[in-house]
Amino acid sequence: MIELRDISYTFAQAKDPVLHHLTFAVHDKRIGIIGPNGCGKTTLFHLMVGLLKPDEGELLFNGKKVSTKEELRALRKEVGFLFQSSDDQLFSPTVIEDVAFGPLNLGFSPKEARDVAMKTLADLGLTGFEDRITHRLSGGEKKLVALATILAMRPKILLLDEPTNNLDPKTRSHLIEILLGLDLHQIIISHDWDFLSHTTSILYKIDHGHIHRCEENHVHVHRHLHIAGDHPHQHDPL
Amino acid sequence: MMDERFATGNSLLHKRDPKVKVIVAAAYITVAAISNSFAVVSLALALAFLLLLLSRLDLRQVGKRLLAANTFTLFLWLTLPLTYGGEELTRLGAFSLSVEGIRLAALISLKTNCIVLSLITLLGTSRIASLGHALEGLHVSRRLCFMLLFSYRYIFVIYQEYQKLKRAAGMRCFVPATNIHTYRTYGYLFGMTLVRSWNRATRVHQAMLLRGFNGRLIPLEQRTVASNDIVFLVIGLAITATVASIPFFYR
């Protein structure tokens, strides 16, 4: 699948590299990625889909080095990336046009693209949304529609960048349900530990430019008492 | 903001292909805009009212739009008769009213109303997205079509972002006044809005690339021009040509 080999990346005008000789391969089905703000989690995703070019190291897809535009297109067809801000992802006037955008680019006929889009919307419980105006959707609806736009391309790997930001509890549990029902590789960046405990089985942590698997501190369920504890919430790590 | 109030409806004009409407509107507005003849402009305005009847739009809402447009012509009425010079009609104290000025103000007012009405009835009866695709279908530069479509999609987001920044300034007790601090703050607000829009544009472009975008927006609706549309096009252009040719008959 996707592999980053010995990658280093430094932001323009930054002194130290944000990712430093990092190697990461997607083998497992459900991977969570944690780490402090600015540690390079989103950068890692951008490198994985070729939006950023590493200073050193290489991106491999199905064991082959990705260098040409065509190879990049082939990779992006298989990898869906859900952005942090859905407004960045929904650029068409109506929901159906946005969901059909990917399939149309993949060469589907307008009719096929519409059918795929409608089916994807139905799968996510969004039937009846097709003619809604994208910028008038609520935050939660935008997130689900953005997910639909990606799933409509039938990817094999899903990259989710802080998917639960600003979601209400109901949409959040709906999203968990959806993700658990999807049989594809999922890599999730989140600060929402409870969410990760539901959706992922392996955690990686990015720290000082490196990534390591969290063997010792595994996510677990525990009980304790505090105000508004019946609402989904998160705790400071460690 | 941008609620496309007039775009939903079931009238003759709503059902026409946007491509055809764009062509007719462009021809009609050009004639109204460049004509110097009262006869042409008045007839064009009368026909624009006919379009309004055909479009079956909410007359009160259209009236509101016309009122907004006419606040601009009001200023012309306040200034042109007094400043244009030429033949004097009458004197009001120290001011002289010019015949030429009044004529020009009247002509501009008629043109303004004619153009706004035909724009509302011909283009306002289509959604902006359809107009964007129509322009693309008419082989208008793809970049311009993108700019129209994306401005439509993001102007609201950019406006919200500006409001957010403005609120943030207000929360820290910023009160606009006539001083350098205010000018600088507004400069920062506009600058910040610009930077954020730029960053957003980058992210949107990335999102599009990831979903296989290669420079061409493929419309989901493949509209074919129906025979009714052709009839509308021919009649529309014929009427426009007739209106435009009036001055040549009455020489």
Side-chain angles (χ1 to χ4, degrees):
Chain A
M1 297 243 105
I2 289 196
E3 187 179 346
L4 292 173
R5 197 174 282 170
D6 202 22
I7 285 240
S8 294
Y9 186 80
T10 313
F11 282 114
Q13 289 159 1
K15 230 172 52 223
D16 302 315
V18 57
L19 299 175
H20 194 57
H21 293 293
L22 174 149
T23 296
F24 177 62
V26 181
H27 295 301
D28 304 288
K29 265 263 145 107
R30 298 174 180 276
I31 301 171
I33 294 181
I34 54 173
N37 292 118
C39 71
K41 301 187 293 291
T42 304
T43 309
L44 182 78
F45 274 9
H46 281 215
L47 287 164
M48 285 170 75
V49 292
L51 284 177
L52 292 176
K53 275 212 154 52
D55 305 331
E56 278 175 70
E58 52 195 24
L59 169 65
L60 290 98
F61 181 56
N62 291 334
K64 272 189 288 187
K65 193 175 175 226
V66 179
S67 42
T68 66
K69 257 194 164 166
E70 282 67 45
E71 287 165 341
L72 207 54
R73 270 176 76 88
L75 178 150
R76 287 170 176 175
K77 188 181 162 296
E78 311 266 296
V79 184
F81 184 173
L82 188 72
F83 284 18
Q84 253 184 66
S85 159
S86 311
D87 260 319
D88 295 341
Q89 212 145 19
L90 303 175
F91 42 81
S92 305
T94 61
V95 167
I96 186 78
E97 283 174 287
D98 219 306
V99 181
F101 176 80
L104 284 173
N105 288 334
L106 294 182
F108 285 53
S109 77
K111 163 122 194 5
E112 292 165 339
R114 176 178 286 272
D115 291 346
V116 170
M118 291 301 279
K119 173 150 192 329
T120 312
L121 286 173
D123 288 347
L124 297 186
L126 295 171
T127 305
F129 272 66
E130 53 272 15
D131 290 324
R132 297 272 299 272
I133 306 292
T134 46
H135 70 245
R136 281 189 219 139
L137 299 172
S138 76
E141 291 166 346
K142 274 184 191 164
K143 187 57 83 182
L144 294 181
V145 171
L147 184 60
T149 67
I150 287 155
L151 292 179
M153 297 181 73
R154 305 280 177 255
K156 296 209 173 71
I157 303 175
L158 202 54
L159 308 180
L160 300 111
D161 193 353
E162 307 207 13
T164 56
N165 272 5
N166 302 320
L167 288 192
D168 65 29
K170 207 172 137 228
T171 319
R172 185 177 169 282
S173 25
H174 186 36
L175 183 64
I176 292 176
E177 219 175 281
I178 290 171
L179 293 181
L180 288 179
L182 290 175
D183 183 32
L184 36 96
H185 290 266
Q186 296 170 30
I187 308 167
I188 307 176
I189 291 176
S190 186
H191 293 291
D192 183 343
W193 287 61
D194 182 64
F195 179 75
L196 286 180
S197 79
H198 280 100
T199 50
T200 62
S201 49
I202 294 159
L203 272 188
Y204 280 88
K205 181 174 174 147
I206 300 185
D207 205 9
H208 295 100
H210 299 286
I211 191 163
H212 18 242
R213 197 166 155 169
C214 307
E215 303 280 9
E216 57 278 31
N217 40 349
H218 63 282
V219 176
H220 62 283
V221 180
H222 64 183
R223 292 167 163 278
H224 63 180
L225 177 81
H226 64 64
I227 292 167
D230 53 338
H231 294 286
H233 56 278
Q234 59 189 87
H235 294 278
D236 292 332
L238 306 174
Chain B
M1 203 171 158
M2 304 281 269
D3 49 1
E4 300 186 283
R5 201 186 283 269
F6 298 137
T8 45
N10 204 20
S11 78
L12 181 80
L13 290 178
H14 285 96
K15 278 188 259 177
R16 291 290 69 78
D17 186 289
K19 281 202 276 283
V20 170
K21 290 197 284 186
V22 168
I23 299 174
V24 172
Y28 196 70
I29 285 167
T30 310
V31 167
I34 62 177
S35 172
N36 225 342
S37 142
F38 263 99
V40 169
V41 178
S42 312
L43 185 59
L45 180 60
L47 288 170
F49 272 107
L50 191 68
L51 281 177
L52 180 60
L53 287 183
L54 283 179
S55 68
R56 284 189 267 152
L57 293 172
D58 181 357
L59 294 181
R60 264 188 61 155
Q61 290 301 330
V62 177
K64 269 191 194 163
R65 306 282 168 107
L66 282 180
L67 208 63
N70 280 302
T71 48
F72 291 102
T73 55
L74 181 70
F75 282 100
L76 294 176
W77 280 101
L78 288 176
T79 53
L80 276 180
L82 297 174
T83 56
Y84 198 77
E87 197 185 327
E88 188 179 287
L89 180 71
T90 176
R91 284 193 80 85
L92 294 172
F95 304 105
S96 70
L97 293 182
S98 127
V99 176
E100 276 301 296
I102 291 176
R103 186 185 178 279
L104 196 62
L107 192 64
I108 294 177
S109 306
L110 288 177
K111 284 184 178 198
T112 307
N113 286 291
C114 170
I115 291 173
V116 170
L117 260 186
S118 29
L119 274 178
I120 289 178
T121 49
L122 287 173
L123 300 189
T125 46
S126 286
R127 294 198 313 112
I128 298 203
S130 327
L131 289 177
H133 288 310
L135 289 174
E136 218 183 342
L138 291 171
H139 298 286
V140 173
S141 152
R142 208 175 277 162
R143 278 164 207 238
L144 289 178
C145 301
F146 283 2
M147 271 170 68
L148 177 75
L149 288 171
F150 283 88
S151 307
Y152 163 68
R153 168 62 182 87
Y154 283 101
I155 197 158
F156 189 69
V157 177
I158 293 170
Y159 175 73
Q160 271 181 338
E161 242 157 38
Y162 174 66
Q163 289 295 325
K164 233 185 267 171
L165 291 171
K166 219 172 105 179
R167 264 201 304 278
M171 289 301 234
R172 285 194 281 150
C173 300
F174 170 69
V175 182
T178 313
N179 55 31
I180 197 75
H181 173 63
T182 303
Y183 299 145
R184 187 183 297 129
T185 307
Y186 272 110
Y188 289 162
L189 287 183
F190 284 127
M192 238 357 179
T193 310
L194 205 65
V195 170
R196 285 180 178 218
S197 313
W198 173 261
N199 288 340
R200 183 180 293 280
T202 313
R203 294 194 302 268
V204 171
H205 186 231
Q206 289 177 339
M208 295 177 73
L209 285 179
L210 290 185
R211 279 159 67 200
F213 178 68
N214 51 8
R216 216 179 97 71
L217 284 182
I218 307 161
L220 189 56
E221 305 286 348
Q222 299 282 9
R223 267 198 86 132
T224 45
V225 178
S227 52
N228 278 347
D229 295 321
I230 302 287
V231 172
F232 180 81
L233 177 70
V234 171
I235 293 178
L237 290 181
I239 290 177
T240 309
T242 314
V243 171
S245 60
I246 289 176
F248 301 105
F249 290 120
Y250 296 89
R251 270 257 160 106

